[in-house]
Amino acid sequence: MDAHFPQIVTSASMLDSIVKIEELSAALQSYEHATVAITDRKLYGLLHFNQVMKKAHIQPVLGLTVDLVCQENLTIPLVLYAANQQGYQHLIKISSAISLREQEDLPLKWLLGYQKGLIVMLPVAMTHHCDEVIQMVQQLHEQLEYFYLGIERANGIIHEQESLWRDVAQSEKLKVMATQRVHFLNEEDVEAYTVAKAIQQGVRVEDREPLNPIERAHYLPTMLQLKEWFQDVPEWLDTTTEVLNQCKVELTYEQHYMPKFQPLEEGKTAEVLLAEQCKKGLQERGFTGQQIYEERLQYELRVINDMGYADYFLIVADYIAFARSKRILTGPGRGSSASSLVAYCLRITNVDPIQYDLLFERFLNPARITLPDIDVDFADAKRQEVIEYVAKKYGASHTAQIITFGTLSAKAVARDVARVLGFTMEEMAQISALIPSKPGTMLRDAEPAFEQWIGTDEHKVKWLQIAKRLEGLPRNASTHAAGVILSPIALPEIVPIEKGSDDIYMTQWPMKEVEAVGLLKMDFLGLRNLSILDHIRYLIYAGERRVLDFEKIPLDDVRTYQLLQQGDTTGVFQLESAGMRQALKEVYPTSFLDLVAVNALYRPGPMDFIPVYSRRKHGQEQAVLPHPILAPILNETYGVIVYQEQIMRIASVFAGFTLGEADVLRRAVSKKEKNILDQERQHFVQGALQNGYAKNVANEVYDLIVRFANYGFPKSHAVAYSLITYQMAYLKANFAPYFYAALLTSVMGDREKQLKILQEVRAKGIPLLRPSIQKSGKSYRVENGSIRLALGAIRGVPQTFLKKLQQMQQEKKEWKSIFDMALSISAQHFKEKTIEALIKAGALDDFEQDRQTLLATVSRAENLAKLYAPDEETTVLYDTRIYGVPKHAEAEPMIEKEKLQGEKEVLGFYISKHPVEQLKAKMVQPVVPIHRVSSIKIGATIQVIAAVQNIKVIRTKNGEQMAFLTIEDETGALSVTIFPKVFEQIKSLLEEDSILYVEGKVESRQQQIQLIAQKIQDVKSL
């Protein structure tokens, strides 16, 4: 039996349907021939739908549901079907056009202009029979080449207005299609669909209007059911078959739409301009006349031009040049593009590929034609400026960001379904706790954990059934983090677009589909660490009036390597984890290439070779190679294959492969498919034999390649990213106050991270200055080698206040009292809660009044501001000669404990002396500062004095109590484990903020240093 379904709404409609395309395909497999139409209101799922149906030998019909404007405040729904290629192109243009309109509707003249290749159906169940609509139907019938009425009988229910529409069809001689809207696959899915709609609308199921009988029947019927429902009008079913069978669109993706560089001088090609810019760049880099560079440059240019990529390189070089002109920091390179000399000459990258033996074929391989992929890192705070530059230069209709779809993950769907079904907050918290947070977790993974919680509760059983049904559905659309499309022709000629952010369009198709139709994706990536580097550079200039050129930082700085060897890498890009710190201590880097190798090796699998690399570097183990000819390739990494480029070099030198063939080999063997491995082995061994090597040695070398194929890392990427790592380490070693000020600014809002960094700052002896209303800004600053705390780090100080304060500081306003301040910034910004937070943080100590006095005076100052400066526009001169000088309120001086509590409340840490530090000064017993614990030998017994920050008490399997503490002193925080025996003796001492003397044994657990408590005392008893 054949099947024809003209009105499927798919799950790509963001919870307006729960029909998954793959499930729809499976449901249609029982028919000899099936034709099915996608009729969503966007083209989000169109390409995926077409691909899945074609693969299943089902005829896809590409459709779109739109709202046609009849007159003001009146629209009617239409379903547009693409009958042919032209119709498909018109669907894309119509979808793009209406997505850019405020009401997302379609004017009649647009429909008439794009009607060629389209078949139009009016689904009458979605509109109302009235004179205005009838007039529009008559007009459409006259002006459209193919126009039909669509009548549905969901579940056999004849719509109350069907007879009226039949009269219209008869009088206008209109053909009728039998249709059936489908929003869910099976009749029993109606509850899941109802829940999906509730999630979409953000309401509970019981608070939304129930589905009516027709809406409850919008499932996928069988063809037998459809024939039964329309048995009195079989000709309607025939019309549906006729219309759908007319719709045949073959989508082929053979064309690539390479963007064109602008502007080009008349008569000059992109290839000529590229060669000129590269020649100039090579001269600026200082390599003109050096044969190895000249020959490599000519080779790369030949490959790039043969592939037709000259424009692309010019475009990338242009927007990077724009970024530099605006002092927007760009990365030295990313991925395999760092292996290109052309990219280096154009200053797309800052990595010399010849110095580091980077292979161009790893990036562009003439033996394996692929689109180029130059990903560029920008300081994340300014990345959007570069995207806006590109959009403005090449035109809005030629530039777009890429859409991405958020789906209902296991945890999200479980909570959302529970919420709309009316579960309590406590129940939703229990649900979240039962589902692992591991990426890729499915509800089925958590089912064993659910069993006991659900028990026989039917409400919970229903919740799980529905959640599983909705899991994985697209929920919302957002912008891809980095991808930008640049097209040589208007985008709606190729891909549907819609409104994006910052006046830049967004594609309706996600990344893979955009690339599949031949468009080139360029990644504009925002890297936080570049913003930190940029901020450090700014702070150095502000403090010392010197401009730091990152390209001129020496790669042999002794202080930098000392810092790396000690694993002192908090805040250093790629080197912050405990495992990486340990690797640095083990390898003890003495050159930049050591740092590159560690970065490349520190990944699951390859990290097993870090001890081998270290032992061989330090002469504790000898590297054994299958053949001496491999020595020049592997000596750099002490016989360990670390990089993909080394695999390529081995294949080239040992087996005579071209570097293009070697790259193909590298990719092939990494797939670990036996037939490919055997085929490539034969090729490799044959090449080695021709080069005069023994067969057994050739097989041994090939086995080595296979072993390391999955482990190898792109050296180009490792070198480029290690430059950022090195630069940060260099700044930390040589410009520590500036480094920490920028790092602290980058984590404002995260109290835990700020505290950790501040403890390290204190441990290094860098003075910390309290926040100051006169000298502090929103961010951390450096003053004569000291770090001034940021006002933006104070809890309760709003952005509007900080903005106003910045303006006042630029105007060189100086205040002598809290009253001056109130009158200057006006009552609009002088709010009691804001000023109290500033006082507690010490920011108003500038006024040389006790903090308790200032707190008591805030309301007086606020009232003064309300009278004389109620807002920024309304100010009245306060003449002290007439009104007198305002008086501060009288109050007892603030005691030290209250002062510290206030600082902790609004800052999250103490800016005055830490209470532990004060106690240590009075004690005779020597104790270890917490920041030094990590450098003490595992198993050693030490003593610390610290304040309790967090207490977690649990019971062991034997029912005994034990505890885990987090303690801190002025230098850092430490985990302490208290086993039952000790816990029983000291449990009465455990209170948050209590200061304890702890003696214990140093241990390492999951690469984290901790203390096993052996003795705990209250410091007061010492």
Side-chain angles (χ1 to χ4, degrees), residues 63-122:
L64 177 70
T65 300
V66 301
D67 290 320
L68 182 73
V69 181
C70 296
Q71 55 187 347
E72 193 175 352
N73 300 324
L74 179 63
T75 61
I76 60 169
L78 296 176
V79 177
L80 314 180
Y81 300 109
N84 51 36
Q85 199 69 26
Q86 186 181 26
Y88 164 72
Q89 296 292 338
H90 285 167
L91 275 190
I92 291 176
K93 290 176 181 176
I94 288 171
S95 182
S96 300
I98 64 178
S99 295
L100 301 178
R101 284 171 63 84
E102 197 64 39
Q103 302 301 322
E104 297 202 353
D105 50 22
L106 179 66
L108 176 61
K109 63 180 180 181
W110 290 10
L111 175 61
L112 298 177
Y114 286 124
Q115 69 164 302
K116 288 291 183 185
L118 292 178
I119 296 171
V120 182
M121 175 188 78
L122 168 64

Side-chain angles (χ1 to χ4, degrees), residues 883-899:
Y883 305 112
V885 178
K887 301 291 184 187
H888 289 85
E890 291 186 10
E892 290 290 322
M894 183 177 283
I895 62 173
E896 192 66 22
K897 185 177 180 183
E898 287 179 348
K899 189 177 177 181

Side-chain angles (χ1 to χ4, degrees), residues 331-395:
R334 183 187 178 102
S336 59
S337 63
S339 60
S340 167
L341 183 61
V342 166
Y344 182 59
C345 291
L346 295 173
R347 292 195 177 273
I348 290 172
T349 66
N350 266 321
V351 174
D352 179 350
I354 291 175
Q355 178 185 349
Y356 295 105
D357 193 26
L358 306 179
L359 306 180
F360 179 67
E361 290 78 4
R362 178 62 187 82
F363 172 52
L364 283 182
N365 185 351
R368 179 177 56 85
I369 306 298
T370 55
L371 286 175
D373 188 13
I374 302 177
D375 299 340
V376 183
D377 289 311
F378 298 95
D380 61 350
K382 298 177 181 178
R383 177 187 76 106
Q384 195 63 27
E385 286 183 45
V386 187
I387 296 174
E388 287 169 7
Y389 165 76
V390 172
K392 186 175 180 182
K393 178 166 184 172
Y394 291 95

Side-chain angles (χ1 to χ4, degrees), residues 403-436:
I403 203 167
T404 183
F405 300 116
T407 57
L408 287 169
S409 64
K411 193 161 278 199
V413 76
R415 284 186 61 86
D416 281 342
V417 173
R419 177 173 47 79
V420 301
L421 288 179
F423 281 45
T424 65
M425 293 298 291
E426 184 184 359
E427 287 173 318
M428 286 193 281
Q430 290 170 342
I431 287 168
S432 289
L434 290 170
I435 301 172

